[in-house]
């Protein structure tokens, strides 16, 4: 083999190795978030929801808040106390796009998980991912418990919201549908923005 062929083979091998490495290193991140659309921005600075504030507090990991919209109101429910709170939309909310995941009527769930330090902030769709996947009907809303688990009454799967929404018990399947989200703190701004 001539020196030029050797250099070309070496360069080709390096390029193939780099290409292979780029495909494998991004694999997990690609599936961390759903491809479904979700768009919800809520400014909690005026103490609008104490229940949501608890779920947006990094020092209260394991507390999750279920958010739905009905007419001109936001509804908030936590897994810690099963309390609910209704907050009227203000003028900014009225003009802002709201898309709570797969189905607005069943909403999304947000909160900090209690397994990592610093705590990870999660935003999940409240639909059972496996029942929705098999039927494409948005009628399988999850119910939360105080331990940070979410259960589907149809398939009986239990999901661990503290651990990336994985199936904690029941038949194996997909983890909860997760959206990109951030918070600026308890009485700050919640942003859940996930596009296709």
């Amino acid at each position: 083999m001539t020196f030029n062929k050797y250099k070309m083979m070496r360069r080709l091998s390096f390029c193939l190795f780099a290409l292979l490495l780029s495909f494998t290193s991004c694999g997990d991140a690609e599936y961390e978030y759903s491809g479904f659309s979700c768009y919800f921005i809520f400014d909690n600075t005026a103490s609008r929801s104490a229940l949501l504030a608890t779920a947006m507090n990094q020092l209260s990991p394991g507390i999750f808040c279920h958010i739905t919209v009905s007419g001109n109101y936001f509804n908030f429910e936590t897994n810690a106390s099963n309390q609910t709170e209704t907050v009227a939309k203000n003028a900014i909310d009225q003009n802002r796009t709201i898309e709570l995941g797969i189905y607005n009527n069943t909403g999304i769930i947000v909160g900090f998980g209690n397994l990592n330090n610093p705590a990870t902030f999660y935003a999940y769709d409240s639909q059972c991912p496996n029942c929705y996947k098999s039927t494409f009907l948005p009628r399988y809303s999850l119910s939360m418990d105080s331990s940070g688990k979410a259960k589907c009454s149809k398939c009986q799967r239990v999901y661990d919201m503290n651990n990336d929404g994985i199936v904690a018990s029941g038949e194996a399947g997909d983890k909860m549908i997760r959206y990109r989200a951030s918070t600026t703190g308890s009485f700050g701004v919640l942003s859940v923005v996930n596009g296709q």
Side-chain angles (χ1 to χ4, degrees):
M1 185 180 301
T2 66
F3 183 71
N4 286 337
K5 281 187 178 180
Y6 175 76
K7 277 178 67 173
M8 189 167 39
M9 290 297 286
R10 188 171 168 208
R11 187 174 292 161
L12 181 61
S13 296
F14 176 79
C15 290
L16 287 173
F17 177 76
L19 183 63
L20 181 62
L21 186 63
S22 70
F23 283 123
T24 58
S25 64
C26 297
D28 292 339
E30 184 178 332
Y31 297 106
E32 185 174 357
Y33 301 104
S34 168
F36 293 114
S37 292
C38 187
Y39 189 87
F40 181 68
I41 297 175
F42 185 79
D43 187 348
N44 206 32
T45 55
S47 302
R48 295 177 65 198
S49 171
L51 297 181
L52 179 61
T54 305
M56 289 174 29
N57 184 349
Q58 191 172 8
L59 300 177
S60 299
I63 296 180
F64 292 88
C65 185
H66 183 204
I67 305 166
T68 56
V69 177
S70 56
N72 290 322
Y73 297 93
F74 296 111
N75 304 303
F76 302 100
E77 177 186 3
T78 67
N79 67 321
S81 60
N82 288 327
Q83 292 180 317
T84 59
E85 185 176 44
T86 300
V87 174
K89 292 181 182 177
N90 63 25
I92 295 170
D93 298 326
Q94 295 285 355
N95 291 317
R96 189 176 276 153
T97 299
I98 298 172
E99 188 176 359
L100 293 178
I102 293 172
Y103 187 46
N104 274 337
N105 290 345
T106 55
I108 58 174
I109 300 168
V110 299
F112 282 96
N114 63 13
L115 297 180
N116 300 322
N117 190 8
T120 302
F121 189 68
Y122 293 108
Y124 300 112
D125 201 290
S126 67
Q127 288 290 314
C128 173
N130 294 288
C131 290
Y132 179 74
K133 182 179 178 180
S134 65
T135 64
F136 295 107
L137 298 173
R139 60 169 70 151
Y140 306 105
S141 187
L142 300 169
S143 59
M144 304 182 298
D145 70 18
S146 60
S147 70
K149 302 284 194 305
K151 183 176 183 180
C152 176
S153 60
K154 181 180 185 295
C155 70
Q156 302 300 309
R157 286 181 179 91
V158 176
Y159 301 90
D160 188 348
M161 295 186 291
N162 288 299
N163 191 12
D164 202 28
I166 64 170
V167 177
S169 68
E171 187 179 338
D174 293 345
K175 64 182 183 175
M176 290 176 74
I177 298 166
R178 183 177 173 197
Y179 300 119
R180 288 174 177 81
S182 63
T183 177
T184 60
S186 297
F187 291 104
V189 177
L190 167 65
S191 298
V192 183
V193 180
N194 204 83
Q196 291 186 349

